Amino acid sequence: MILGLAIAVVRRIVVPGMRRTTRPMDVYVMTLVGIILVSGVFLEATKIVSYTSFQEMVEEWASLDEDELEHLKAYWAEDFGVVFPEPVAATDPDALEMGKEVHEVSCASCHSKPTWAFLSYGVSKAIGPIAVTLTDARTQVGLWYLHFLVCFVGLAYLPFSKLFHMLSSPVSLLANAVMDTGASARANVVTRRAMELDACTHCATCSIHCSVGVVFRQIANETILPSEKLISLKAMASGKPLDGKELRRIQEGSYICTSCYRCTSVCPVGINLQDLWLSMREDLLRQGYPENAAWARHVLADRFGGALRDKNASVTPAAGDLQKDMTVSLQAETFSSCFECQTCTNVCPVVGNYENPRETLGLLPHQIMHSLGLGLENEALGNQMIWDCLTCYMCQEHCPQGVQVTDVLYELKNRAYARLTDEEA
Ligand code: SF4
Ligand code: SF4
Ligand code: SF4
Ligand code: SF4
């Protein structure tokens, strides 16, 4: 327990680059375990030094004359660390030897050396100078109540906390070992998934090995990380009400995943994370949260599509300084060289796929370049072409002006998505 608590704290505070977050539950659990440990250690330490505990023990279990009692006190003060309010009368080697004999006859069968409780024994030595005061103040009783109260709180909290994995992880491992997922009934698969949600130890091994973990450095969305995504999935599965903003974050994290299977292959508890991610996407889809680009495309079409459909719409530049903000691609500004020869549109396989591409795609590649030149932001962002582009680079390779058409379209897509998510933040 001590080792586990130390690892949990050190990994969070000291070890750099651990892709993990600390949630309120982690703090509660570490606090509870910490109180249990510290109160337990101090409880035992106050018991070691307590002369009243010694007296109770002697009264209950031994029948000694005055000499034997004095020798036993000397022996326990010397070897067991008991601190008596009055100095022990006999402390010479003979007295200690006689005390030892009394101890072996009356006490040894029940009491091992306190050094076995090495932490508490160390603490008992430290509190030695104030031991009598602590004993008289009945500190031991107070610590006893604190220790067991927190133990019971911890036990009651266990099924709702991450520590439940102590029970669920072995069961999940067993279920995964004996289940044939392909041949299992749907109800069994769902039950196994539910067990897996509780089996996670939050060790973050999956997040450390996640193929897109590096994206987390750029986009501060913890649901990109599999260990955190699992917690969000658990909240969704438990029916916890999540607002649109939270679901949007989960959606983003869920679809940034490349389904590479690495997290599943490294999970020490054998959780089939890949399977959970797929079911998560199904749940998101049912709740109206499709793949990120599909969502952005749909929202942007609703928001800016009117600018393309309305023949009488004003074509004045939008307020945003679009050209200046196109900075991700080093060559984004090349759109200003476009002289509208339409070569890019003519070679585009997407455009060629439609009988009436203007109607389906909104603006065609050469028109998008031209819109950018005019600073028409809504037109540039609100067309379907940027989402349908295959990034085949045909347009870019054929452009006589060296306009980096594909890169510009790609940047527009990223800008459109960033604008939507910024607005929702
Ligand atoms: S590797 Fe497995 S147990 Fe560890 S955090 Fe990831 S899902 Fe949980
Ligand atoms: S499957 Fe997804 S979550 Fe798992 S390691 Fe690959 S990218 Fe990361
Ligand atoms: S091929 Fe180049 S110059 Fe011609 S319309 Fe397209 S982007 Fe403009
Ligand atoms: S990169 Fe996109 S716009 Fe250019 S030709 Fe290919 S599909 Fe068309």
Side-chain angles (χ1 to χ4, degrees):
M1 204 185 235
I2 295 168
L3 191 63
L5 185 66
I7 290 172
V9 173
V10 166
R11 288 180 87 178
R12 278 174 173 78
I13 296 172
V14 180
V15 180
M18 293 295 293
R19 295 183 196 130
R20 54 192 297 129
T21 54
T22 300
R23 294 174 182 253
M25 184 194 281
D26 299 330
V27 178
Y28 301 153
V29 168
M30 285 193 283
T31 306
L32 274 178
V33 173
I35 294 175
I36 290 170
L37 280 175
V38 172
S39 61
V41 168
F42 273 86
L43 173 61
E44 186 61 24
T46 52
K47 203 171 159 191
I48 289 171
V49 295
S50 169
Y51 69 89
T52 55
S53 292
F54 174 83
Q55 284 168 351
E56 283 164 16
M57 176 192 75
V58 171
E59 279 164 22
E60 191 165 351
W61 299 105
S63 132
L64 307 174
D65 61 32
E66 211 163 298
D67 272 357
E68 286 173 328
L69 180 59
E70 278 307 308
H71 293 143
L72 188 64
K73 279 169 78 175
Y75 180 70
W76 271 61
E78 182 71 20
D79 264 34
F80 281 72
V82 178
V83 181
F84 294 94
E86 72 286 347
V88 179
T91 55
D92 55 278
D94 288 345
L96 289 176
E97 193 53 42
M98 288 180 71
K100 188 177 177 185
E101 281 171 22
V102 177
H103 166 81
E104 279 166 4
V105 171
S106 308
C107 316
S109 57
C110 300
H111 288 274
S112 50
K113 291 269 183 162
T115 41
W116 283 105
F118 55 92
L119 269 180
S120 299
Y121 187 66
V123 174
S124 75
K125 289 291 166 201
I127 62 174
I130 55 165
V132 174
T133 312
L134 291 175
T135 305
D136 291 343
R138 296 174 64 77
T139 313
Q140 191 184 334
V141 178
L143 283 170
W144 188 91
Y145 278 112
L146 174 68
H147 182 69
F148 284 98
L149 183 68
V150 181
C151 281
F152 283 126
V153 170
L155 272 178
Y157 187 46
L158 182 70
F160 311 101
S161 78
K162 60 188 287 183
L163 293 184
F164 189 61
H165 70 73
M166 290 190 289
L167 305 175
S168 55
S169 296
V171 178
S172 172
L173 274 169
L174 189 67
N176 279 340
V178 298
M179 254 185 91
D180 178 358
T181 315
S184 295
R186 170 94 185 139
N188 293 339
V189 173
V190 172
T191 307
R192 197 209 62 212
R193 283 179 185 162
M195 281 195 296
E196 287 181 325
L197 287 178
D198 278 327
C200 174
T201 64
H202 207 211
C203 67
T205 306
C206 51
S207 292
I208 292 166
H209 290 87
C210 175
S211 306
V212 295
V214 69
V215 179
F216 180 58
R217 291 189 199 145
Q218 300 300 323
I219 304 174
N221 178 352
E222 70 278 1
T223 64
I224 293 169
L225 306 174
S227 56
E228 310 308 311
K229 191 156 48 198
L230 201 64
I231 294 173
S232 300
L233 177 58
K234 196 172 167 184
M236 283 172 72
S238 67
K240 186 180 169 193
L242 300 171
D243 62 24
K245 202 169 157 189
E246 283 173 278
L247 284 167
R248 188 73 63 215
R249 284 175 68 76
I250 296 171
Q251 173 203 28
E252 185 177 65
S254 178
Y255 282 102
I256 284 176
C257 165
T258 60
S259 301
C260 69
Y261 215 84
R262 285 179 80 176
C263 49
T264 299
S265 59
V266 297
C267 176
V269 188
I271 299 173
N272 188 343
L273 293 161
Q274 208 67 48
D275 182 48
L276 293 177
W277 304 154
L278 287 176
S279 71
M280 186 181 202
R281 288 182 182 180
E282 282 170 12
D283 272 1
L284 284 167
L285 205 54
R286 271 196 291 275
Q287 295 187 50
Y289 293 88
E291 192 268 329
N292 296 320
W295 163 73
R297 171 194 189 125
H298 176 71
V299 176
L300 285 166
D302 277 355
R303 196 171 296 180
F304 302 138
L308 302 176
R309 286 190 295 275
D310 185 356
K311 302 279 186 300
N312 298 316
S314 161
V315 287
T316 49
D321 195 346
L322 181 61
Q323 294 104 325
K324 205 174 75 197
D325 292 344
M326 298 273 288
T327 52
V328 176
S329 162
L330 289 176
Q331 296 165 322
E333 77 285 356
T334 54
F335 62 75
S336 55
S337 307
C338 172
F339 58 16
E340 288 194 79
C341 68
Q342 299 195 29
T343 305
C344 50
T345 295
N346 290 336
V347 297
C348 175
V350 173
V351 174
N353 192 42
Y354 295 104
E355 271 191 27
N356 189 349
R358 176 80 172 82
E359 191 177 278
T360 313
L361 300 170
L363 293 183
L364 307 181
H366 74 283
Q367 292 169 321
I368 296 173
M369 297 306 118
H370 190 55
S371 303
L372 287 172
L374 295 173
L376 302 174
E377 184 167 7
N378 290 354
E379 281 78 358
L381 296 180
N383 67 81
Q384 297 296 308
M385 182 69 223
I386 58 174
W387 304 104
D388 277 358
C389 172
L390 305 169
T391 57
C392 69
Y393 281 87
M394 292 279 281
C395 51
Q396 192 157 313
E397 284 171 9
H398 285 80
C399 176
Q401 285 294 90
V403 177
Q404 308 297 302
V405 187
T406 314
D407 294 343
V408 171
L409 293 181
Y410 204 80
E411 180 153 346
L412 279 176
K413 191 156 63 173
N414 283 333
R415 279 185 60 79
Y417 183 76
R419 183 163 148 182
L420 279 183
T421 47
D422 284 352
E423 283 173 10
E424 296 221 343

